[in-house]
Amino acid sequence: MSNHPASRILKDFFHPELEISKEHVPAILGLTASPVINSKAGKLEELEKNLQAISRTPKTHREELLRLTHRPMLVTLTYHPMPPARQFPLLPNLGQLRMSLDIEQDPYVKALMQSSPTASDSPELRRVKLNRKTYCQEQLKSLHSRGQTVDKELGSWGTYWYIIACIQKLQLGVRNRSASLELLDDDEKVYLERCLGNLLSCVSEETVPWFDKECISAKVLRLIEFLLTEHTPGFSGLIFVKTRAEVAVLSELLSTHLSLKEHYKVSTFIGESNSVKRRTNVAELIDVRYQVSTLDDLRLGRKNLVVTTSALEEGIDVSACNVVICFDHPPNLKSLIQRRGRARRSESKFALMLADHDDPSTISTWHELEVAMRKQYENDMRELRDLETLEAIDEGDREFVVEKTGAKLLFSDAVSHLYHFCATLPTGRLSNVAPVFTYQDNSQVLGQRAITAKVVLPISVDVSVRQASSQSAWITEKNAKRDAAFEAYKQLYYAGLISDNLLPIQGDDEAIANVKAEVGKMPSLVQVAGQSNPWHLVAHHWQSTTNDSSLYCYDIPLQQTGETIVMMHMLLPCSLPVIRDPIPLFWDASTIFSASIYLSCSTPPEMHHAAQSTGLLLSSVFRSRMDAARFDFVALFAPAEDHQNTDWMERFSGTFKRESSRPTDGSNLSLSSWGIIRDLTRNGVPHILKGFEEQSSELNTSDPQDNENDEKIILLHVARFPKRTDFLHPAAPGKESLLDGANKILLRPEDCEIDRLPLPYAYFAAMVPSILHRIGVRLLARSLCDTLLAPVELSQLDLVITATTTTASREPSNYQRQEYLGDSVLKFLTSLTLVSERLHWHEGILSSAKDHIVSNASLAKAALEVGLDTFIQTKAFTGYKWRPLYVSDLVNTTADEPREMSTKTLADVVEALIGAAFLEGGFDKAIAALKIFLPRVFWSGVSDRNDILLSSYNIPIAYPPHFTQLEQLIGYTFSNKTLPLEALTHPSYTGTNVTSSYERLEFLGDVCLDIVISSTSFAHNPPIPTHGLHLIRTAVVNANFLAFLCLTLSIPILRTSITTEGKNKVSSHETTIPRHIWQFMRQSPAAAVRLAQQDCLNRYEALKAPILESLRQGTHIPWSLLARLDAPKLFSDIIESLLGAIYIDSHGSLAACEGFLDTLGVMGYLRRLMQGGVALYHPKEELGQLADTESVRYEIFKGDGGDEQGRFGCAVWIGKREVARVEDGFCVLEVETRAAEEAVRMFKTKKLGQV
């Protein structure tokens, strides 16, 4: 139009030819998004006349066209312009630097002055000195000018970042001899780098954090606020700004914004310079070479937000966008329409940013001009018809039915069901678990009231089902809300978070739920099978044994103080488990024998001879309990000195009497060759010969001659043969030795009968019950390993014996320590299995499922189902009324009578066996054991679980640069950057760039902490008693202890502050400040979270010194001080969540977890507790022990006069006496602990009776 070259061509050539003949000129078809050229509506007729055309919109398939083309909603973003509250001196310093430079030191001026002897008087030199227009001066001026623009539009943060980035780019280019600086003279490069380098050296190297609202313009804050509400899946958008500097700064700000960068992948696009000889501008940050793929990235979704200048208004194919934002006013109507045309997607938005003092008539004028234009080229169908009215949906017709159960979700009930689901989520006082509904009114587009809704569930819900939108548009928000809730609840069902009964699941698979119902009914005491008799199988082996060659012969030397007293053979029809250590046998309080058992290398005696010698041997001690005609003993014994056994039987069978009392009669026999001496005057009570004693006859007179003629007699000095047959347990203290001549008894020889079997054999016979018991225990353990535990392939029987032995059995070891370890292993493997198997489950469901699986009732049920109860030793060996074991009796007896056992004992044995499997073969064998006891859980290898977890976090996510400081702080560098980000995301966080809150990682980290502490303390040498292990673990995993360490561990961060003194002097001051783990946490900006943290910090500062002193040198764990800290759970949670993150990232390295705990200080304190010297008992537990049988009661009361700070007090009562009272506590736990401490102190100082 007008005098445009294209218009002149049409007027001067096209129209004249058209008047001559229409056949020789082309017909014109123009396609354009808008025929508007300028802001004058009447120009449309001129355009039509020039083109010899009529402007029309399509008529055919108009409805289809309207469905495919969408006019964006016009949105105005109003802001109140005001300078940021926080300013930085960098921009003024740059201005002062430019003005203070000596122009004669400029490279261009120097070059002019050196060009000729008379150059100092040249006009060019005078001009340059006057106007200061050199390349270097212009570069500094350009940088300052653009910095001012950025400061005005984006805020002081943008200026700060922009100037530093420009200087650093120049310095890097000079060092690397960048091609972009080739057109600069070397002197100019050095001069600019020196000038700007001096400016940079005076500022902090640390970038100002983006989230400091005090250094960002109100305009940018309004833009961020808008973007936070606009992101949807598949989002695509453009932001138009005026200058290239604004493009660079705004893209950097949006890219690093913690709430935006997860959803927005920001790129830039600017116009290219037409001149290839254009010199480098230090104020230019964006290299156009790197924007070649920008538009392809936008189309393919690799980028979804482009910050651009007017370069993308026209002439370039840009894919349709959801949102187009004009950061500044469009320069004219043409720009407005072209920019708006980029927002062509359904329900797109075209946003204009307006200051609250702008004249809104500007936008109205543009809108009115556009309407006028459209009216001129639209025919009678140009008015857009209303879109079809949304189909009315009858609320009664929409329902969701689970075919399996018939459970039904009605449309009208969806909202209440969704709220109920959210109410079951794990919650805390600092987070909100209610669903959040947002609404969008599409009335402008649809021509009638049409509202859609979107619901966002709490962050603890898996991200794949966290959001849902209504299927339809509705007249009322109420129905839109129901629609969104209905769709959300269906999503939750399909994700496995809602049961077939359409109720929130509680960690119960169908199979687990059925078992849980049965387990829940189990009483604390149950009837179980009697203990299996291990000799039953040996008896069956005897029945199948036909010859001596199939027997196993074992040597059993009975020793005292290293000297063998007697050597015996033992014959069995089957092999024995290896018994490496000698069996200690406690004869009396001061005499200990030992019996070793090992496979013999000698020729075994014949079976029938061994049976006879066994009868002779046992009859020496157990004569009254034996059947003299039976020789089918389950274990046969024979002396090692006589393999044929005939001579031995002849020499040592029977008894004899000594009638003579002459001294020589007894002196010819050594003590060791005498057998048991039986007192015939007392029904043959057995005795042991200790020696001889000479006494005068009964006719003793006062006449010395008579006494000299009196005949001396010899008496037997004997000791009573012990009645007890339990030599496995030490004799009661205070008893005198039976072998040292004490308990003096004198017997007349003629009143006695003496066994021919020497006394050492009688000793051995007396100890046979104890020896057979020890063998039976190992046989029982081997039977368990060969049957129930066969898949585990356990070889260390001592671990199995310990695991199946209760404290009541009085064996050398019991299950308690292994149960402590097994409990930790079970919880770890259960948690790992659940968290990797159920990737959609939130922490609440995971905890519920874990608690059920590891519960005593569940484990007790499992023990009974597999028949473990018959292998558990509960009865102590006493040897009371022991009688020999006969094969014919044993073949018909498999176990003792049924017995009662607590469910806790059954569960403890299961955990102890898991601990045994772990000690022998690590997690692999522990899992093999779990498959036996808990087959309904899908157990698999730890490595497989680790792979699943690591792959589940394969999510591209923007990593905050300052998180590298976190990695330095904790001593671990993450390969998967999603993990630390999630580990430090509080459930209250509502921003972007997030997968989930830290709760699932905290769930896993909790058991990582437990297994590290438990395995380390269990392995301590010397072994720590079970109760000590529990006390140590309780102290180290205490939430307040972990919170204290979280508040203490920090890394120094260097900060530089810049001050100006006078006009030209700039000074900087460097300081270091600590940055703690908790300060990296992403959380809600809500006041409740910040207030809770600040309150805790205040208490921490007051308690830090005494707690540290106690942890380092104290003789007691600082229970009351830690309780007074009363740290919010979030502080200990992030320690455990970081442990979970480290475990997953390191592919299951517990060593990496231990490294973090060492850095934190947990392992150091654990080592101090294990070394001893620190009282472990909690004051309340210690007070309970001191109170003995009396009851202990704690009364809590508020501070006097209605304490405004909510302080607590506590009085502790023992029986009916108040023994201690404390006040001024921050929480109930604190005052109870302090009151207990005071009561314990009074007990120990014996002042309790004076109270």
Side-chain angles (χ1 to χ4, degrees), residues 140 703 1097:
L140 294 175
D703 187 350
L1097 287 175

Side-chain angles (χ1 to χ4, degrees), residues 334-468:
K334 172 187 174 183
S335 291
L336 182 141
I337 294 177
Q338 288 175 332
R339 293 179 181 184
R340 191 199 66 185
R342 298 300 191 187
R344 301 189 300 273
R345 286 191 181 178
S346 175
E347 300 182 3
S348 57
K349 293 183 180 179
F350 179 60
L352 295 173
M353 302 203 69
L354 296 175
D356 53 11
H357 57 68
D358 284 344
D359 184 2
S361 63
T362 303
I363 303 300
S364 300
T365 301
W366 287 338
H367 184 66
E368 291 170 0
L369 285 172
E370 183 187 5
V371 171
M373 287 283 185
R374 292 171 59 245
K375 285 183 178 179
Q376 293 183 57
Y377 62 78
E378 286 183 345
N379 56 19
D380 56 345
M381 296 296 293
R382 285 176 183 175
E383 292 294 332
L384 294 176
R385 293 181 300 174
D386 293 336
L387 296 174
E388 291 183 349
T389 303
L390 292 173
E391 181 181 0
I393 301 177
D394 185 357
E395 293 181 6
D397 291 337
R398 289 198 68 187
E399 61 181 30
F400 176 72
V401 180
V402 179
E403 184 178 348
K404 182 177 181 180
T405 61
K408 184 182 297 184
L409 173 67
L410 299 179
F411 186 75
S412 58
D413 296 335
V415 174
S416 60
H417 275 68
L418 191 62
Y419 270 92
H420 174 64
F421 168 80
C422 291
T424 66
L425 297 175
T427 182
R429 60 187 180 91
L430 300 179
S431 58
N432 181 18
V433 295
V436 177
F437 290 88
T438 56
Y439 306 93
Q440 183 169 346
D441 190 347
N442 302 297
S443 302
Q444 293 182 4
V445 177
L446 301 178
Q448 66 178 32
R449 184 168 176 81
I451 299 173
T452 57
K454 181 175 75 172
V455 61
V456 179
L457 302 182
I459 196 173
S460 57
V461 178
D462 188 75
V463 66
S464 64
V465 291
R466 193 177 300 153
Q467 296 185 15

Side-chain angles (χ1 to χ4, degrees), residues 26-92:
I28 296 175
L29 172 64
L31 298 176
T32 180
S34 171
V36 178
I37 300 301
N38 56 34
S39 301
K40 297 180 181 180
K43 288 291 183 177
L44 183 59
E45 289 85 350
E46 182 181 345
L47 177 64
E48 290 179 328
K49 182 178 179 181
N50 243 354
L51 294 175
Q52 287 291 304
I54 299 175
S55 184
R56 290 286 184 269
T57 56
K59 296 180 180 180
T60 309
H61 307 299
R62 178 165 176 76
E63 291 184 11
E64 181 180 358
L65 176 64
L66 292 177
R67 286 195 299 270
L68 297 176
T69 58
H70 309 279
R71 184 179 182 186
M73 178 193 306
L74 180 62
V75 177
T76 56
L77 307 180
T78 304
Y79 62 94
H80 178 64
M82 57 184 300
R86 185 178 177 188
Q87 297 290 336
F88 302 97
L90 189 58
L91 181 62

Side-chain angles (χ1 to χ4, degrees), residues 93-105:
N93 290 347
L94 176 60
Q96 293 176 12
L97 171 68
R98 186 173 71 86
M99 299 306 297
S100 64
L101 290 176
D102 184 357
I103 190 65
E104 293 190 356
Q105 298 301 315

Side-chain angles (χ1 to χ4, degrees), residues 131-159:
N131 59 27
R132 303 176 67 90
K133 287 189 176 181
T134 67
Y135 173 76
C136 292
Q137 285 287 330
E138 289 300 306
Q139 291 300 297
L140 294 175
K141 180 180 179 180
S142 174
L143 181 59
H144 183 256
S145 174
R146 296 189 187 189
Q148 288 178 315
T149 301
V150 170
D151 189 71
K152 177 183 176 183
E153 296 294 328
L154 306 180
S156 56
W157 179 93
T159 310

Side-chain angles (χ1 to χ4, degrees), residues 1217-1220 1238-1251:
R1217 296 166 295 167
E1218 180 182 320
V1219 297
E1238 178 64 16
V1240 168
R1241 184 188 65 80
M1242 297 181 70
F1243 257 110
K1244 290 184 176 180
T1245 55
K1246 299 183 179 180
K1247 292 183 179 179
L1248 186 60
Q1250 304 173 12
V1251 178

